[in-house]
Amino acid sequence: MKLVLRQLELPLDYSDADLLQAAAQRLRSESDQIRSIVIIRRSLDARPRRVSPVFIVSAEAVMADSFNLPARLPKDVELFKEAEEVNSQTLRPARPAAQRPIVVGAGPAGLMAACHLALVGLRPILIERGDQADRRRTVVDNFWRNGAFNPENNALYGEGGAGLFSDGKLTARSKDRPRIRTFFETLVRCGAPRDILIDAEPHLGSDVLLKVVANMRRLIEANGGETLYNTTLTDIICENNAIIGIKCGDKELPCDTLILATGHSARDVYHLLQAKKASLASKPLAIGIRLEAPQTQINLAQYGRFAGHPRLKPASYRVTRRPENNARACYSFCMCPGGLVISCASEDGALTTNGMSYSGRDSIWGNAAFIVPVEPEDFADPAFATSGNELAGLLFQEKIEKAAFAAGGGGFVVPALMLADFLAEKVSDALPANRSCQRSKPASFDTILPDFVARTLRHSIPPMLRELGSINTADCLVYAAETRSSSAVRILRDDSGQSPTLRGLFPAGEGAGYAGGIVSSAVDGLKAAEQLVATLI
Ligand SMILES: Cc1cc2nc3c(=O)[nH]c(=O)nc-3n(C[C@H](O)[C@H](O)[C@H](O)COP(=O)(O)OP(=O)(O)OC[C@H]3O[C@@H](n4cnc5c(N)ncnc54)[C@H](O)[C@@H]3O)c2cc1C
């Protein structure tokens, strides 16, 4: 008999014996009546109301024959049930596609879509404007060191997409557990540590992602898929509102099914879609800055006297602030413990910030975006864009990114300030030599951020940091501007996953405007691939 036990509490330095004992206690059994036990889920509870942080785990236990199941099961114990979910990978199309499906974009959404199409035997062609991960890395390192920018191969474009030089945290708001599981199992199959299958807040880091992403490519190719790098989609050929092919520069490829997973940085793709009369809609986004604080202070704020315990990973945080006193809502986003602030760009002359980390999360800094919601009505502001245009949000983002580039003096140097100076509306005289983003320099954020964003941040950040506790404003830096937390445009799709006005086009991932983050984008890519397969069954 197999049982599932939930909400078992284990001390920070638990051993296998502690797990066994906690399970036996819960089941009111002897330890030797548990033949084997494995943890299937693990989260940390470090809330201050606890005397000390604990791990909360779920575990599967195989019981010995001598164990008699009580008529009434103890709290948080249930009989193990085989998952009833359909394994999407067993669904094979009844007939092969007349033409090979094409997937554009090798970010999390495109890679996952192409993996699925390859595994069901449809031999997809995956097209990516940037290079393979290892070659891309050299180019991006050069950008961070010298500001040498490559418009097709950069921190946002290339194999792995925006997710490659990222924090690689695999948290998701999506409740689509079966597809999340399929994604995580694919990552493990491609070299990610098995811990991601059980940890509540899994994290990979950019170094591990580099290896995993390359193995996803190998998985696609080994199952009949083809990958074309340094190849940019430049046109979509349509007939009677349906796709019949695409162009990548001079090269023309026939196709009647296309998964478009080009992310939300590829503004040229949105303009192409607008020209092709795909249905698009403007959507809300959020804009702000990235705040860097000493990781030791963040650990202290979150773990108290247990900070530094070897089982405690560098701490994360999440804070929100409601609208008040002429300030909008504000929230922290994409926290990177032990990470680095990076400069990102996908167009010359426009700069945005973000955060990344390596698997060890061993930088002495932790950073997070602090962002303010922006509504499509804001794009109507003549200072930013024209109203009534579904691409107005792109112009709004672009305007801020160009101002950030100019404020940094060109060369993709990031405008930065001491937090205290930003709050006091001053430009810092100097920045501390020890900071994660070395190619940064003092510059006013007031020429970069819209008024309502700067005002909200100044109003909200101090109480948000006070709420966290232990973080000293005087030690924090801020970098501008955080503009690409989500897509500014939605590519509309119907129940079959296709564009209602361009049949055969399956918009997927963050750029489609229905997903945000690595996991939800990958899950969306997988779903798009399943929907494509469904049109062939
Ligand atoms: C620095 C950074 C850190 C991040 N950290 C995290 C994190 O820790 N956790 C998290 O969940 N999310 C994180 N994110 C967000 C996450 O990376 C994205 O949500 C995710 O990558 C979106 O996946 P996607 O496949 O939809 O699009 P993308 O990853 O943007 O991939 C799109 C791909 O399409 C390609 N492409 C674009 N146009 C064309 C074209 N015309 N022809 C051919 N190819 C094209 C691009 O080169 C790119 O490779 C981070 C993002 C950044 C930038």
Side-chain angles (χ1 to χ4, degrees):
M1 177 200 318
K2 197 164 166 183
L3 298 173
V4 179
L5 292 79
R6 301 192 194 280
Q7 298 290 324
L8 290 174
E9 275 188 25
L10 296 177
L12 273 187
D13 38 18
Y14 74 88
S15 63
D16 290 350
D18 293 322
L19 172 64
L20 196 62
Q21 195 191 353
Q25 218 166 20
R26 171 72 59 81
L27 295 170
R28 289 178 225 109
S29 72
E30 299 301 323
S31 302
D32 59 8
Q33 287 181 300
I34 301 174
R35 271 221 307 257
S36 65
I37 182 159
V38 288
I39 292 180
I40 55 166
R41 189 97 188 134
R42 180 176 54 208
S43 62
L44 179 76
D45 187 349
R47 282 174 294 180
R49 67 178 174 77
R50 292 204 167 267
V51 181
S52 69
V54 290
F55 284 107
I56 308 288
V57 307
S58 298
E60 284 174 3
V62 178
M63 306 304 295
D65 295 342
S66 60
F67 175 74
N68 292 321
L69 192 66
R72 206 165 139 220
L73 285 174
K75 190 165 178 286
D76 293 321
V77 176
E78 60 203 66
L79 275 169
F80 174 82
K81 279 197 266 354
E82 283 298 343
E84 283 165 12
E85 295 128 10
V86 182
N87 180 352
S88 54
Q89 295 193 356
T90 60
L91 286 176
R92 285 183 170 269
R95 61 184 172 87
Q99 284 160 349
R100 297 171 80 175
I102 292 183
V103 178
V104 185
L111 282 169
M112 207 47 209
C115 275
H116 181 73
L117 296 175
L119 290 169
V120 299
L122 285 179
R123 301 170 56 243
I125 302 172
L126 174 63
I127 289 172
E128 168 53 54
R129 71 195 303 162
D131 214 336
Q132 292 186 358
D134 49 350
R135 291 199 288 264
R136 180 184 172 196
R137 183 191 187 159
T138 316
V139 175
V140 174
D141 277 346
N142 196 20
F143 170 69
W144 284 330
R145 264 201 302 275
N146 311 312
F149 176 67
N150 180 328
E152 299 298 319
N153 199 27
N154 49 56
L156 299 165
Y157 291 165
E159 187 177 52
L164 187 65
F165 302 103
S166 78
D167 183 37
K169 56 186 155 299
L170 301 178
T171 38
R173 271 167 290 165
S174 164
K175 297 275 174 288
D176 190 344
R177 284 177 198 276
R179 289 193 184 91
I180 292 178
R181 183 81 193 177
T182 303
F183 175 47
F184 281 17
E185 280 172 356
T186 307
L187 293 176
V188 170
R189 181 174 180 182
C190 293
R194 292 197 67 78
D195 274 1
I196 65 167
L197 299 176
I198 61 169
D199 279 338
E201 301 214 344
H203 166 249
L204 290 180
S206 199
D207 45 339
V208 175
L209 277 162
L210 268 157
K211 183 178 73 178
V212 169
V213 157
N215 284 336
M216 286 178 87
R217 178 215 317 146
R218 292 183 190 109
L219 182 67
I220 293 162
E221 290 172 346
N223 285 279
E226 188 181 340
T227 52
L228 301 175
Y229 290 88
N230 304 305
T231 304
T232 306
L233 166 83
T234 50
D235 201 3
I236 299 174
I237 312 163
C238 319
E239 218 174 73
N240 302 327
N241 299 330
I243 290 189
I244 58 163
I246 62 164
K247 278 190 189 167
C248 300
D250 296 340
K251 195 174 179 153
E252 204 168 304
L253 295 166
C255 83
D256 52 13
T257 48
L258 173 72
I259 294 184
L260 190 74
T262 42
H264 68 134
S265 290
R267 293 176 177 149
D268 51 350
V269 174
Y270 292 118
H271 287 287
L272 172 63
L273 290 172
Q274 191 182 45
K276 296 290 160 183
K277 309 229 174 322
S279 311
L280 306 173
S282 204
K283 71 179 266 308
L285 50 123
I287 300 283
I289 47 98
R290 199 154 268 266
L291 189 152
E292 177 164 89
Q295 185 61 44
T296 45
Q297 294 182 11
I298 301 170
N299 292 345
L300 200 62
Q302 299 297 75
Y303 298 145
R305 67 191 170 90
F306 291 92
H309 188 289
R311 277 263 177 102
L312 289 174
K313 297 185 176 158
S316 186
Y317 63 76
R318 196 169 293 167
V319 269
T320 56
R321 189 92 186 154
R322 293 209 186 122
E324 57 186 356
N325 298 346
N326 209 15
R328 294 194 183 184
C330 181
Y331 56 97
S332 66
F333 176 78
C334 187
M335 158 76 201
C336 303
L340 313 168
V341 175
I342 54 169
S343 138
C344 289
S346 53
E347 290 153 39
D348 203 0
L351 169 74
T352 176
T353 51
N354 219 307
M356 68 166 280
S357 71
Y358 296 103
S359 52
R361 278 187 161 165
D362 49 6
S363 144
I364 59 164
W365 300 101
N367 67 71
F370 280 67
I371 49 179
V372 176
V374 180
E375 298 299 327
E377 298 84 79
D378 297 310
F379 311 150
D381 181 339
F384 288 108
T386 50
S387 62
N389 179 345
E390 63 264 25
L391 302 189
L394 293 185
L395 303 178
F396 180 88
Q397 285 173 317
E398 215 171 352
K399 174 117 187 173
I400 296 169
E401 292 170 11
K402 284 183 172 161
F405 180 84
F412 300 93
V413 174
V414 182
L417 292 172
M418 297 308 295
L419 173 60
D421 291 331
F422 169 64
L423 297 175
E425 300 186 37
K426 279 177 20 198
V427 176
S428 310
D429 295 330
L431 300 173
N434 194 346
R435 60 188 190 276
S436 79
C437 181
Q438 285 295 319
R439 289 191 85 245
S440 53
K441 66 165 236 198
S444 167
F445 289 5
D446 290 297
T447 58
I448 304 171
L449 298 171
D451 226 29
F452 67 87
V453 174
R455 190 174 58 241
T456 300
L457 293 170
R458 288 190 173 113
H459 174 86
S460 306
I461 289 176
M464 288 164 94
L465 292 186
R466 273 199 299 278
E467 184 189 319
L468 282 171
S470 297
I471 296 180
N472 187 352
T473 308
D475 296 328
C476 298
L477 283 104
V478 282
Y479 300 85
E482 194 84 10
T483 54
R484 302 211 193 167
S485 56
S486 66
S487 177
V489 181
R490 184 162 284 142
I491 311 171
L492 300 181
R493 53 194 193 192
D494 62 16
D495 289 347
S496 73
Q498 297 177 72
S499 160
T501 46
L502 268 188
R503 307 312 286 168
L505 176 78
F506 294 79
E510 191 162 39
Y514 299 91
I518 295 171
V519 178
S520 72
S521 301
V523 161
D524 199 58
L526 174 59
K527 191 169 167 201
E530 290 168 7
Q531 286 179 310
L532 186 156
V533 173
T535 63
L536 307 173
I537 287 178

